[in-house]
Amino acid sequence: NGTTCGLKEIMIGRCYEYQYMKYQLFLTNQSNVKNCTQLYQAFESAVRYKPYCNMNMSTYEKYFQLALSGVHVINRAMFWSGTYGVTHAYSADGANYITLEDTLAAAMANGLVWCGNENHTDGFDFFSCPNNCKDNRWADLAFWGLASKTFAQLAAGEIYVVLNGSHANDRPAFRNNSYFSDFELPNFRRTGEYRVTKINILLLHSPDKNVTEKCGEKSLVQLENLILAQGFQYACKDDPEELILIMCGNQWKARECQIARHVLRQA
Ligand code: N1C
């Protein structure tokens, strides 16, 4: 349960790298470059000296406002649930699609562990964080819950959602209480220039695993109804080929991947 040493330096460094190196070509609008020190200050003043379990979904509001002001992700926003690895391989650090982790606000904090402590001299607890507040679920969601909600609000035009249709143990592809169902789906914009028009579901089945749900079945029906009720267009595709090829890159021996191999040789 260790927290991250060098949090400040890492976050500020990542902010510089994000804006001036890594994402310069395809994400940063030159007139919208942020001041990294100021951004870190907004983050720090939200959390420093604050008891972890008193935080909630508005704790980091200023930070997200500052980091993401003026940003819209048009026709390239990609969401996922149960498919972290393959989705990020496919989105390719923002070159193909943009996931939450490809936005500045989330890229600065991705993978870090931190929490405030009102008794500690520098206001952070560098020894351990509770991560589980019995009486306040919102404390645990303060950062990533708001990150997901804010990202959903930036998505415009057609968006993409990668789901897993081969979960074991009756776990559905679209499930209640996921970040996707609680913080993203309810927050897509329905009106205005930057509204979401269409939601494209990409439903994956892992090579060598059972297919538990396909488009038009079970939880996908539930999801389609929710999407149509909000006034968005809906499309669902089972196993898009480009995603099969990515999955097969790691599971070359699977039965389903022999087909990919066969097709590739014909080219
Ligand atoms: O609960 P989920 O999926 O539906 O969350 C995924 C959804 C994505 O579209 C992201 O935008 O919510 C966002 N998100 C992250 O970006 C993220 N990075 C790491 C949600 N969760 C994220 N994690 C961790 O994965 C987090 O600790 C959470 O508990 C899991 C959620 O994974 P899931 O069930 O596959």
Side-chain angles (χ1 to χ4, degrees), residues 25-220:
L25 290 176
F26 50 86
L27 277 184
T28 308
N29 167 353
Q30 293 304 325
S31 63
N32 195 23
V33 173
K34 317 282 174 176
N35 177 328
C36 292
T37 313
Q38 201 187 0
L39 206 49
Y40 176 77
Q41 290 307 334
F43 170 87
E44 191 189 85
S45 60
V47 57
R48 220 174 150 198
Y49 295 111
K50 306 279 164 57
Y52 178 86
C53 289
N54 286 359
M55 299 203 294
N56 59 47
M57 288 275 289
S58 54
T59 300
Y60 292 101
E61 235 161 26
K62 259 210 178 132
Y63 169 75
F64 284 101
Q65 262 167 23
L66 202 58
L68 298 173
S69 71
V71 175
H72 299 280
V73 183
I74 301 167
N75 295 334
R76 299 216 294 141
M78 183 163 267
F79 301 84
W80 51 270
S81 197
T83 55
Y84 183 95
V86 61
T87 301
H88 286 90
Y90 187 40
S91 66
D93 286 337
N96 293 334
Y97 295 94
I98 295 173
T99 66
L100 172 59
E101 290 79 3
D102 300 312
T103 65
L104 176 59
M108 283 172 65
N110 199 16
L112 307 182
V113 181
W114 70 89
C115 57
N117 186 324
E118 70 278 34
N119 300 319
H120 203 283
T121 37
D122 64 10
F124 278 107
D125 193 328
F126 284 110
F127 182 67
S128 82
C129 296
N131 291 324
N132 190 354
C133 296
K134 254 204 350 268
D135 303 319
N136 181 13
R137 175 188 180 226
W138 302 110
D140 301 310
L141 297 167
F143 191 89
W144 291 106
L146 185 61
S148 293
K149 177 181 168 181
T150 312
F151 180 53
Q153 290 168 336
L154 302 177
E158 291 201 27
I159 64 170
Y160 299 84
V161 185
V162 186
L163 299 179
N164 184 340
S166 37
H167 277 308
N169 308 326
D170 283 331
R171 187 181 157 111
F174 170 66
R175 69 172 207 286
N176 294 332
N177 295 320
S178 67
Y179 276 79
F180 177 69
S181 75
D182 286 358
F183 300 114
E184 295 176 334
L185 187 58
N187 287 303
F188 294 136
R189 286 192 201 210
R190 302 190 221 180
T191 55
E193 184 187 353
Y194 292 110
R195 71 183 176 280
V196 167
T197 54
K198 183 173 181 182
I199 301 184
N200 297 289
I201 307 298
L202 311 177
L203 185 60
L204 302 189
H205 303 100
S206 310
D208 270 351
K209 290 224 176 108
N210 288 336
V211 174
T212 50
E213 285 174 282
K214 287 183 160 184
C215 290
E217 294 176 5
K218 305 180 204 173
S219 72
L220 278 302

